[in-house]
Amino acid sequence: MTTPAKDGRRTGFGRLAVLGLQHVLVMYTGCVTVPLVFGAAAGLDTATIAVLINADLLVAGVVTMVQGAGVGRFLGVRMPVVAGAAFTAVTPMILIAGEYGLQAVYGSMLAAGVFGLLVAHPFAKAVRFFPPLVSGVVITVVGLALIGVGVNLVVGNDPEAADHAAPSRLALAAFVVLVILLVARFGRGFLAQTGVLLGLLAGTAAAVPLGLVDLSAARTADWVGVAAPFHFGAPEFPAVAVLSMCVVMLVLFAESTADLIAVAELTGKRLTTADMARGLAADGLSGVLGGVMNAFLDTVFAQNVGLVTMTKVRSRHVATVAGGILVLLGLFPRLGALVAGLPQPVVGAAGLVMFATVAAVGVGTLRKVDFDGTHNLLIVAVSLGVGMAPEVAPDLYSRLPDGIGIVLGSPVTSATLLAFFLNLAFNGGTPHRGPGPVRAPQPEGRRRCASGADGTPATEPDGLVRGERWDTGPGRVDHGVQSCAPVPPEPSTSHRPPRTSSLE
């Protein structure tokens, strides 16, 4: 826990480094799990997965530094947010790799990054078209679609292998889940947020006597280095692959929007449409950098939003330092090789918990949708059913043209498109739901509405105040934001939110 600081006071680099390291530890497991899962599903060897891990950390660090420090008027929200690899892109990437190869994976990612940079500002103005009805369906499908990937890592991807679904693999996975549960149950504060990381470490230690830890790639890896751009060759741009990744980019925008609003509320920042656009443009930048450096699409990590809530440290410089630490970690190939050598049952068990958490959060988001007297239940049912169909019947679209199969065969892509267009058709883009519709950031104005269970008025300078709880991504904190009608100023009675500590 940090010591409160007065506004305007800066802190030494030592304390900034400690606080930044906290953020890195909270997000590290989620960040490296994406290349581990993708690499295993794509059949890559340990050395190549290590390359992906280092590139992933490097790009995540650069994007985090951009979000914290900002780059001119175009990039970075200038708030304490940390970016990391998104689970949302994993399933489409696996499908594209299987159909077109890794050059198409990173070519389509590069194109999606350019697309994200171009549409960041329009999306910031049109965020109402991705309400909880749409985002809840998408997040649920993201989690459900990845559970099978986690299970395959636990039992083994080769059904003919001697140790396929061996009791030792199942026991090791169960041990990892048990450690995660124990840390969550008995851990406190920061420790409770590192359960998955501790589960990975404990599981790896337990796997050593079983002969499941392979560190051969780490012994030959360089200590310092950077992966060469376009490691897998010149990028390729199949139209359907590009379309699929552009849809994923829009989904990431919806996730990041919710987290950016939450952080703005926690820090008291007046979040304008321009601020939101700069924050989303950083997600687009991750696509460009990821396509070049063989990394992944990044989004704002909700785990770190929770850490801001816990520590009450709202300085954006902490996020900038955290980004610098991630960049440094990405410059040590031997570290990436060590992580790539983690036993698959251990990675699969940790991934299983994280993927199921994503699905559960999506269900929680859908709880905020009004299903009474509307078509929303039908929209959710059709989107989930059609989206998950390829997971239970992999050959469902095998006789269709390859391009169509890539789009429809991705649960994330098909569910997103269905939920989006069905919402437009039945609700005109804004579904009927409970009080406090989430709206795009307001450029100016002062509004007042009820905040908290006691209904105490709270005046905020940006028109965004605490209200409906809107959980829209893995590990999301409760943070919904609601719009309310302008009220005349009441200087003598207005209630201001409590101050949080600042390092600026």
Side-chain angles (χ1 to χ4, degrees), residues 24 30 43 59 84 107 114 124 141 183 197 235 288 291 328-329 363 372-373 454 459 487 500-501:
V24 171
V59 171
V114 174
V141 169
V183 173
L197 177 62
V288 175
L328 289 177
L329 292 176
V363 173
D372 295 331
D454 59 356
T459 302
V487 297
T500 54
S501 66

Side-chain angles (χ1 to χ4, degrees), residues 115-290:
F115 170 76
L117 289 172
L118 294 175
V119 304
H121 196 274
F123 187 95
K125 293 183 175 181
V127 68
R128 70 183 183 89
F129 291 107
F130 282 84
L133 174 62
V134 177
S135 60
V137 167
V138 174
I139 293 163
T140 302
V141 169
V142 168
L144 293 178
L146 287 171
I147 287 178
V149 178
V151 173
N152 286 336
L153 287 174
V154 171
V155 301
N157 290 311
D158 183 6
E160 304 299 325
D163 66 341
H164 181 74
S168 59
R169 298 177 71 100
L170 301 182
L172 182 59
F175 173 68
V176 173
V177 174
L178 179 62
V179 171
I180 295 172
L181 291 173
L182 290 175
V183 173
R185 174 63 181 85
F186 298 106
R188 293 291 181 269
F190 171 72
L191 179 65
Q193 300 192 43
T194 61
V196 176
L197 177 62
L198 295 177
L200 282 173
L201 295 175
T204 301
V208 172
L210 299 177
L212 294 176
V213 180
D214 179 15
L215 300 179
S216 57
R219 297 189 186 99
T220 58
D222 295 332
W223 280 104
V224 180
V226 180
F230 302 118
H231 177 79
F232 301 103
E236 298 178 359
F237 304 92
V240 291
V242 171
L243 172 63
S244 182
M245 292 301 285
C246 287
V247 171
V248 170
M249 179 62 71
L250 294 177
V251 174
L252 295 184
F253 276 6
E255 293 183 11
S256 291
T257 295
D259 283 326
L260 292 175
I261 291 174
V263 176
E265 180 181 311
L266 291 170
T267 60
K269 178 180 174 66
R270 181 177 178 271
L271 189 65
T272 66
T273 300
D275 293 328
M276 180 68 74
R278 289 197 304 271
L280 298 179
D283 286 357
L285 176 66
S286 75
V288 175
L289 295 177

